[in-house]
Amino acid sequence: HVQLVESGGGSVQAGGSLRLSCAASGSAASSLYMAWFRQAPGNEREGVAYIAINGGTDYTHSVAGRFTISKDNAKNTLYLRMNSLKPEDTAMYYCAADPKWLGLDDIFEKHAYKYWGQGTQVTVS
């Protein structure tokens, strides 16, 4: 029932910034645990950033300090602000959501999330 629609991807030079958006429908973002994943060609899909219903966040080591995940519950939208982008950040970025708490060991496991967006491409050169 939940649909996630991503936008904001594009092509930038190394050191640049982008903000990705994920518009949720069918359920309030305030009732969802949400995350951003990414997948480069030939690579596994990996968790990037996570935000709990109470606003708590977590990041994978490779993006910590550069990326910021946030939600605007009034707009029912998830965001990922990406600063100081590197070529290794090039990937398809996906929004994911689940209505239940996943546990600390599962927040970056792709199989833990019930709902997924279509992906938006980020290319850093």
Side-chain angles (χ1 to χ4, degrees), residues 2-6 22-25 32 34-35 95-97 115-119:
V2 175
Q3 289 187 309
L4 305 172
V5 180
E6 297 155 301
C22 172
S25 61
L32 296 169
M34 304 186 77
C95 175
Y115 304 107
W116 290 86
Q118 78 288 351

Side-chain angles (χ1 to χ4, degrees), residues 46-99:
E46 64 171 345
V48 175
Y50 163 85
I51 186 165
I53 287 174
N54 67 0
T57 60
D58 202 4
Y59 302 88
T60 193
H61 293 309
S62 63
V63 309
R66 299 188 296 119
F67 291 11
T68 303
I69 188 171
S70 63
K71 286 194 299 184
D72 186 332
N73 288 328
K75 293 183 171 65
N76 221 36
T77 300
L78 177 75
Y79 301 100
L80 184 67
R81 169 64 70 181
M82 304 182 294
N83 295 325
S84 302
L85 283 162
K86 304 174 180 179
E88 50 263 46
D89 295 318
T90 296
M92 186 75 74
Y93 282 72
Y94 298 91
C95 175
D98 197 276

